[in-house]
Amino acid sequence: MLASPSSFKRINSLRQLLGVLGDRGERKSSLSVVAGIEDDDTAANDDDDDDPPFTPWAVSVASGHALLRSPQHNKGLAFTEKERDAHYLRGLLPPAVINQELQERRTLHILRQYQVPLHRYIAMMDLQESNEKLFYKLLIDNVEELLPVVYTPTVGEACQKYSGIYRRPQGLYISLKDKGKILEVLRNWPEKNIQVIVVTDGERILGLGDLGCQGMGIPVGKLSLYTALGGVRPSVCLPVTIDVGTKNEALLKDEFYIGLKQKRATGEEYNELLEEFMTAVKRNYGEKVLIQFEDFANHNAFELLTKYRTSHLVFNDDIQGTACVVLGGVLSALKLIGGTLADHTFLFLGAGEAGTGIAELISLEILKKTKLTLEESRKKIWLVDSKGLIVRSRKESLQHFKQPWAHDHAPVKGLLEAVKAIKPTILIGTSGVGKQFTKEVIEAMVSINAKPLIMALSNPTSQSECTAEEAYTWSQGHAIFASGSPFDPVIYDGQEFVPGQANNAYIFPGFGLGLIMCGAIRVHDEFLLVAAEALASQVTEEEYAKGIIYPPFKKIRKISAIIAAKVASRAYELGLASHLPRPRDLVKFAESCMYSPTYRNYR
Ligand SMILES: O=C([O-])CC(=O)C(=O)O
Ligand SMILES: [Mg+2]
């Protein structure tokens, strides 16, 4: 039976009244009762044979064939005999009834037979589009195996080939053609209650350059992680790609390219479209919707963050998320390499969003923990860009985000020369260009330090500044190593070395959950510091004993809950949280808000 218009009105006003947080949250929505086909996942509702509580609103939103075609509600062969009778499914499915656990094993078995990573990616996207709960159950239960499939590095290849593998729209496309109509475009999206938007303009997809409209794979992938790793409900997530054209000549010549075939717009035209988008988002979803900027090119990334951080709830994952995960890794690594943060000397290869973002957050943490001034703490950090070491004599010609790092020093050309001149204890690669940490660079680091910390952060794997194997072999097992893209453990000299994955996926899902659950209205730098410290605190002594500086991804939901709690707690302290009263136990509250992918019973 379809909901009558008046029932819909009641459903909508209930949504507005309750806000949608999560499944077991104190602010739990009672939509399950309203919608009949249940929209949330309380264990209490899972007992099949109990009669549903009486409610005058009980309606079914889909049945029969439409139910099987609804990714949010479809359970495939897991529909029971009773459900098949009750929801007009008889004959529409083969007779076997297969529960979710067996479906999960079956899907994993099939996935493992695909040798080509992109085929696994396509199979996972198909699953997400046909059976959302099974997709998330599989991803959550097998996160270490499947993260590289739906996310970095495979998502990079998927974006490069996106026009070829495109099947269905997985997010909202907003192009220059939609100028003046963005509010209408937002209203075309089927979900009305949106809490997180990940938006890209495709200009700098990972380290792969301008992929234009094909960048859509990134917001889709990031938001899958919001749900799988941070427990944010899929229905409140909105992936957006803003298409203002592309500089990528190959795409412009490709007859199958799905984007606007024109030169990338810049300046006024670009700013106006972005301004319209930001205004429309706030108007349509309110102040508390989180907008995560992803994979914008440097100039726009910094400008957008500066422009909107005082008027919107915005977060740039490449500047702030990456900074947070790296600061977390460095704080954690201090247990292995010794000293305090302020005792170290940092050298970065790359002075873009990630490099300067990390540098700034490290200096803020030094400022917080010592008596040094911001200026003094920044002096511990040196950056190398394509023209060599950033030094004071270059200051006038530098982009504004590089200027704080222009310290007094004679000009130095290449990275190796900079390592020899600066003698860093920590080397961080954020250049987006692979193979820059050569044998000579790593050897120079080892000649200066007993245990150099080396972080090769550029993504995907092809752009990594060096591989895990190179780092361990060239340093003869002395390096503590982490990378942005995943690498397998390495055996060197009979010993196993486990590289860390310094990827912002450790941070943004929990960070976003924290902002949403407390109703934050702005992102404060303090939130980034507490999130980094929370991540570092999750590494155990046993992990340190093995040289590990990041906790394993299999613990990520717990880690995300802890990060969310720290962020929310700081937001309450700073008066930036609007959901009152403050829950007493924020970790428990965060966990109670998390989406569960277990199938519901449809009575
Ligand atoms: O997506 C990732 O793996 C990390 C990231 O934000 C980037 O490299 O731009
Ligand atoms: Mg990114």
Side-chain angles (χ1 to χ4, degrees):
M1 184 175 71
L2 283 175
S4 68
S6 65
S7 329
F8 273 132
K9 250 190 221 150
R10 294 177 98 152
I11 291 168
N12 278 334
S13 57
L14 226 119
R15 272 190 190 278
Q16 278 153 15
L17 202 72
L18 294 164
V20 173
L21 249 184
D23 301 333
R24 279 174 280 261
E26 284 161 33
R27 302 162 54 84
K28 184 174 90 65
S29 154
S30 23
L31 273 177
S32 58
V33 180
V34 177
I37 288 182
E38 296 160 40
D39 194 350
D40 68 356
D41 299 280
T42 49
N45 284 340
D46 270 346
D47 43 349
D48 199 3
D49 292 314
D50 281 355
D51 283 336
F54 171 75
T55 161
W57 296 335
V59 286
S60 223
V61 290
S63 65
H65 190 255
L67 177 53
L68 298 181
R69 295 281 151 165
S70 160
Q72 290 78 23
H73 303 118
N74 181 28
K75 303 200 284 184
L77 295 184
F79 283 108
T80 62
E81 301 289 349
K82 266 188 187 172
E83 289 170 337
R84 292 177 191 209
D85 279 332
H87 298 286
Y88 306 96
L89 297 173
R90 261 203 194 275
L92 301 186
L93 291 166
V97 175
I98 296 183
N99 68 20
Q100 195 175 16
E101 193 205 325
L102 194 53
Q103 286 183 331
E104 206 182 334
R105 272 201 280 139
R106 176 179 176 273
T107 315
L108 203 56
H109 174 75
I110 295 168
L111 274 177
R112 285 176 179 159
Q113 291 177 18
Y114 293 121
Q115 296 305 314
V116 179
L118 189 62
H119 294 169
R120 293 187 182 190
Y121 174 88
I122 293 169
M124 283 299 278
M125 291 303 104
D126 281 346
L127 182 60
Q128 188 175 22
E129 289 293 311
S130 60
N131 184 336
E132 189 174 270
K133 285 208 158 94
L134 187 57
F135 168 82
Y136 282 114
K137 183 100 175 65
L138 199 65
L139 187 51
I140 292 166
D141 291 348
N142 305 278
V143 66
E144 290 183 324
E145 179 173 347
L146 296 180
L147 207 57
V149 176
V150 301
Y151 186 60
T152 306
T154 313
V155 72
E157 188 186 353
C159 288
Q160 288 175 309
K161 300 179 178 163
Y162 206 77
S163 293
I165 63 172
Y166 173 84
R167 291 171 189 215
R168 289 170 223 95
Q170 295 172 290
L172 213 47
Y173 293 88
I174 298 176
S175 83
L176 284 172
K177 288 193 210 168
D178 305 314
K179 190 155 189 291
K181 299 181 215 158
I182 296 183
L183 194 58
E184 279 169 54
V185 175
L186 293 179
R187 288 179 177 160
N188 287 342
W189 186 252
E191 299 289 346
K192 303 302 166 213
N193 185 339
I194 296 300
Q195 297 182 334
V196 191
I197 292 173
V198 176
V199 57
T200 188
D201 72 355
E203 191 171 358
R204 195 236 73 200
I205 294 299
L206 308 174
L208 302 171
D210 186 347
L211 298 183
C213 196
Q214 300 192 158
M216 181 56 105
I218 295 293
V220 169
K222 294 273 173 184
L223 284 165
S224 311
L225 268 49
Y226 259 98
T227 300
L229 313 189
V232 177
R233 299 163 66 86
S235 62
V236 303
C237 298
L238 174 60
V240 176
T241 294
I242 296 193
D243 186 348
V244 295
T246 178
K247 297 180 297 227
N248 187 322
E249 291 297 330
L251 294 182
L252 291 173
K253 284 192 202 117
D254 177 358
E255 65 173 322
F256 299 128
Y257 178 53
I258 58 169
L260 274 191
K261 286 206 175 182
Q262 66 174 69
K263 253 184 89 197
R264 180 173 282 279
T266 56
E268 196 96 317
E269 198 181 8
Y270 178 89
N271 291 337
E272 276 175 22
L273 197 73
L274 266 290
E275 173 67 17
E276 185 186 339
F277 169 71
M278 296 300 288
T279 308
V281 163
K282 197 159 159 183
R283 180 139 173 233
N284 208 36
Y285 304 119
E287 270 227 287
K288 288 181 272 181
V289 60
L290 170 62
I291 303 169
Q292 173 166 320
F293 294 118
E294 195 70 52
D295 291 8
F296 284 75
N298 285 333
H299 50 287
N300 289 324
F302 286 107
E303 258 168 45
L304 292 169
L305 187 60
T306 308
K307 184 165 174 194
Y308 292 108
R309 67 186 306 171
T310 52
S311 57
H312 290 65
L313 184 68
V314 291
F315 169 71
N316 184 301
D317 191 33
D318 303 296
I319 301 173
Q320 298 169 300
T322 303
C324 227
V325 78
V326 173
L327 175 59
V330 172
L331 291 174
S332 162
L334 293 179
K335 291 248 172 131
L336 298 173
I337 61 178
T340 66
L341 201 57
D343 294 332
H344 286 274
T345 305
F346 299 80
L347 183 67
F348 286 75
L349 176 66
E353 295 159 61
T356 59
I358 302 163
E360 187 63 12
L361 202 64
I362 290 174
S363 50
L364 289 179
E365 179 77 4
I366 295 176
L367 185 70
K368 181 173 159 185
K369 297 268 174 72
T370 66
K371 294 201 171 81
L372 297 181
T373 63
L374 186 60
E375 195 57 34
E376 286 163 343
S377 58
R378 281 179 174 160
K379 290 218 167 100
K380 316 240 162 230
I381 302 171
W382 296 83
L383 274 63
V384 172
D385 67 6
S386 57
K387 298 199 174 66
L389 191 65
I390 293 183
V391 291
R392 193 175 295 276
S393 57
R394 291 178 53 195
K395 194 159 181 172
E396 300 310 308
S397 60
L398 288 171
Q399 287 160 291
H400 67 92
F401 53 88
K402 296 184 183 179
Q403 290 181 1
W405 314 102
H407 310 314
D408 285 322
H409 200 287
V412 177
K413 270 263 166 284
L415 176 64
L416 182 61
E417 292 69 25
V419 170
K420 289 180 179 163
I422 301 299
K423 302 198 180 358
T425 52
I426 297 177
L427 178 65
I428 300 178
T430 62
S431 61
V433 184
K435 309 254 165 276
Q436 302 292 300
F437 291 174
T438 59
K439 187 162 184 274
E440 292 71 31
V441 167
I442 305 270
E443 284 173 351
M445 286 298 291
V446 177
S447 72
I448 301 162
N449 306 284
K451 281 186 181 175
L453 174 60
I454 294 175
M455 303 180 103
L457 300 178
S458 296
N459 295 314
T461 319
S462 59
Q463 307 310 105
S464 190
E465 283 79 5
C466 67
T467 66
E469 185 160 10
E470 288 165 347
Y472 294 124
T473 309
W474 293 339
S475 70
Q476 300 185 341
H478 290 292
I480 308 294
F481 177 75
S483 53
S485 299
F487 282 106
D488 288 335
V490 172
I491 306 285
Y492 173 78
D493 206 13
Q495 202 186 329
E496 185 181 55
F497 292 86
V498 185
Q501 192 185 349
N503 191 291
N504 45 34
Y506 272 113
I507 292 292
F508 67 80
F511 194 84
L513 177 67
L515 296 173
I516 296 169
M517 76 187 203
C518 71
I521 48 167
R522 298 290 176 268
V523 171
H524 194 286
D525 283 342
E526 276 280 320
F527 301 176
L528 302 170
L529 296 178
V530 295
E533 290 160 12
L535 175 62
S537 76
Q538 292 310 298
V539 185
T540 62
E541 290 305 325
E542 295 83 75
E543 283 153 3
Y544 283 129
K546 292 187 199 149
I548 293 171
I549 59 168
Y550 286 101
F553 264 113
K554 62 174 184 284
K555 294 201 264 178
I556 189 68
R557 278 204 154 203
K558 184 78 197 173
I559 296 166
S560 293
I562 291 166
I563 291 173
K566 291 284 183 200
V567 168
S569 170
R570 207 72 192 98
Y572 281 109
E573 283 159 19
L574 295 173
L576 290 169
S578 67
H579 289 167
L580 299 170
R582 175 195 193 278
R584 236 178 312 129
D585 185 334
L586 284 165
V587 176
K588 272 214 183 96
F589 182 68
E591 284 174 329
S592 77
C593 290
M594 285 185 167
Y595 166 81
S596 156
T598 309
Y599 287 149
R600 311 308 322 284
N601 295 309
Y602 303 152
R603 293 140 187 162

